[in-house]
């Protein structure tokens, strides 16, 4: 149970993790979520038993999949920050230039349903398709192209010196997406998952229904992994990782109370997502795992606004996150233990 005086960082489970494998969970959150997580990683790095690029398991969902790719490609942290600031050089210069043309709103979608098979599956087997996943089927077919994202991940891969296809799929990196015909979650890179290149897997994980075109891999269509779960934290229940660190840009364990009606609605949605996240963390804690959850605080939320896809706020969110994330982790140390 979260303590009465909430902070933006909370620990569930034992005070000390049992010696074992470490997991890093990077959640969905759009353009601004990625910026916030980049700043948060700076504060989190001192707590990890190794470099973030070397943790035993990384689970990336949507925006989190981009950072997962950057870490596994061993991109220097300075390059990750420079890209967020629009100052990338070398192989990442092209992707930064393409990203500069991205706007805060999606292109006009095609006027047809996103997925008739998924809508039909939700009608005939509703117990298999969560309602929020079913709702994505009725969104119009997106037109957006992930040119900047594909260029970024391709550049990271080339810079890493890895082969162009399956070098990353060694079971240590899971990229969450959703099969747009069945609504089932797919973890690219996990044993038994469909084969995919790293750029394809990340593009699939970031293809927001109604905004971007679904990604096609192996003849099947995939959309944003956040449609199913904003962090995919629950997939670690059966894993052997013991110490888990979660960055969740779409939750907030330190709520605020804005006065503007649209922001109040956004906070209510965050409350629902936070409840789900806390429930998943408690399930893992009951299995003896230690789960450290870091979320945006009130100042971060004010900087983000309501549209997490607004690139005009990216630098402000990034710079603020360097400070607020470090402060939240320091507060966690002072108040430990924070959760049961």
């Amino acid at each position: 149970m979260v303590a009465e005086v909430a902070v933006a960082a909370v620990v569930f489970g034992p005070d000390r993790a049992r010696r074992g494998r470490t997991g890093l969970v990077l959640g969905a959150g759009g353009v601004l979520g990625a910026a916030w997580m980049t700043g948060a990683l700076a504060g989190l790095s001192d707590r990890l038993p190794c470099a973030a690029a070397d943790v035993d398991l990384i689970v990336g969902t949507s925006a989190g999949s981009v950072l997962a790719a950057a870490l596994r490609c061993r991109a220097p942290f300075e390059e990750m920050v420079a890209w967020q600031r629009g100052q990338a050089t070398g192989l990442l210069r092209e992707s930064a230039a393409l990203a500069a043309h991205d706007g805060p709103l999606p292109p006009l979608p095609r006027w047809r349903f996103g997925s008739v098979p998924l809508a039909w599956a939700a009608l005939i087997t509703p117990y298999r398709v969560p309602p929020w996943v079913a709702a994505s089927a009725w969104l119009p077919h997106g037109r957006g192209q992930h040119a900047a994202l594909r260029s970024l991940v391709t550049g990271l891969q080339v810079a890493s010196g890895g082969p162009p296809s399956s070098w990353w799929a060694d079971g240590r990196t899971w990229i969450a997406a959703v099969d747009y015909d069945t609504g089932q979650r797919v973890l690219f890179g996990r044993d038994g998952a469909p084969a995919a290149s790293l750029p394809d897997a990340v593009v699939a994980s970031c293809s927001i229904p109604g905004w971007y075109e679904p990604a096609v891999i192996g003849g099947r269509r995939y959309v944003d992994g956040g449609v199913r779960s904003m962090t995919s934290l629950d997939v670690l229940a059966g894993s052997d990782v013991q110490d888990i660190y979660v960055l969740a840009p779409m939750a907030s364990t330190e709520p605020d109370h804005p006065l503007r009606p649209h922001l109040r609605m956004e906070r209510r949605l965050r409350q629902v997502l936070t409840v789900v996240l806390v429930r998943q963390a408690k399930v893992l804690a009951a299995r003896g795992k230690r789960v450290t959850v870091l979320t945006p605080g009130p100042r971060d939320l004010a900087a983000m606004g309501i549209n997490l896809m607004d690139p005009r706020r990216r630098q402000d969110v990034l710079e603020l996150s360097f400070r607020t994330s470090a402060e939240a982790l320091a507060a966690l140390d002072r108040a430990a233990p924070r959760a049961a």
Side-chain angles (χ1 to χ4, degrees):
M1 179 176 180
V2 179
E4 292 181 2
V5 182
V7 295
V10 185
V11 173
F12 299 86
D15 292 344
R16 294 180 180 274
R18 291 182 299 179
R19 182 172 298 178
R21 285 158 48 92
T22 301
L24 178 61
V25 176
L26 304 170
V31 170
L32 302 184
W36 177 82
M37 285 189 288
T38 301
L41 279 172
L44 193 62
S45 60
D46 291 338
R47 294 173 172 263
L48 297 173
C50 58
D54 295 323
V55 297
D56 297 295
L57 179 62
I58 300 179
V59 180
T61 301
S62 195
S65 73
V66 184
L67 272 72
L71 290 173
R72 286 310 196 205
C73 289
R74 312 196 73 82
F77 186 71
E78 294 76 15
E79 282 190 13
M80 296 169 63
V81 171
W83 194 93
Q84 291 291 342
R85 290 172 173 163
Q87 301 169 353
T89 59
L91 291 171
L92 304 186
R93 184 192 298 273
E94 179 184 355
S95 65
L98 290 170
H101 297 292
D102 291 340
L105 298 174
L108 188 68
R110 295 182 175 88
W111 295 111
R112 68 172 188 265
F113 291 133
S115 178
V116 173
L118 177 55
W120 180 246
L123 288 174
I124 62 175
T125 56
Y127 53 90
R128 292 184 178 178
V129 183
W132 55 92
V133 177
S136 71
W138 300 96
L139 294 173
H141 193 284
R143 289 180 183 268
Q145 302 288 325
H146 273 303
L149 178 59
R150 186 174 291 279
S151 175
L152 170 63
V153 181
T154 300
L156 289 169
Q157 186 170 271
V158 172
S160 74
S165 56
S166 60
W167 66 273
W168 68 278
D170 57 0
R172 300 176 62 243
T173 310
W174 299 351
I175 303 297
V178 171
D179 187 311
Y180 206 28
D181 288 338
T182 67
Q184 298 302 303
R185 176 167 50 201
V186 174
L187 296 170
F188 292 109
R190 188 181 189 180
D191 290 344
S197 68
L198 184 56
D200 282 348
V202 173
V203 165
S205 187
C206 294
S207 293
I208 303 170
W211 191 307
Y212 294 102
E213 288 188 350
V216 179
I217 300 175
R220 298 198 66 83
R221 300 187 307 156
Y222 297 94
V223 293
D224 196 306
V227 169
R228 188 87 188 195
S229 171
M230 68 169 176
T231 63
S232 305
L233 177 60
D234 57 309
V235 303
L236 296 182
S239 73
D240 61 354
V241 294
Q242 291 296 326
D243 201 6
I244 302 168
Y245 296 85
V246 184
L247 300 184
M250 294 183 69
S252 184
T253 57
E254 186 183 6
D256 63 346
H257 305 282
L259 297 178
R260 294 183 180 182
H262 64 287
L263 292 177
R264 294 181 68 178
M265 291 180 62
E266 192 269 356
R267 298 302 192 270
R268 288 175 183 171
L269 174 59
R270 277 186 180 271
Q271 289 175 356
V272 173
L273 297 175
T274 304
V275 168
V276 173
L277 176 62
V278 168
R279 184 183 300 126
Q280 293 176 347
K282 287 182 175 180
V283 168
L284 297 180
R287 295 174 178 241
K289 303 179 189 296
R290 187 173 189 267
V291 185
T292 302
V293 176
L294 183 61
T295 65
R299 285 179 291 167
D300 301 297
L301 298 180
M304 289 177 174
I306 196 170
N307 182 5
L308 293 177
M309 295 296 288
D310 189 348
R312 298 170 297 186
R313 294 173 175 255
R314 176 162 45 200
Q315 291 191 47
D316 289 342
V317 171
L318 170 68
E319 304 301 338
L320 182 60
S321 179
F322 285 127
R323 300 193 300 273
T324 57
S325 298
E327 291 169 2
L329 290 168
L332 180 64
D333 289 336
R334 292 193 298 270
R338 299 296 299 177

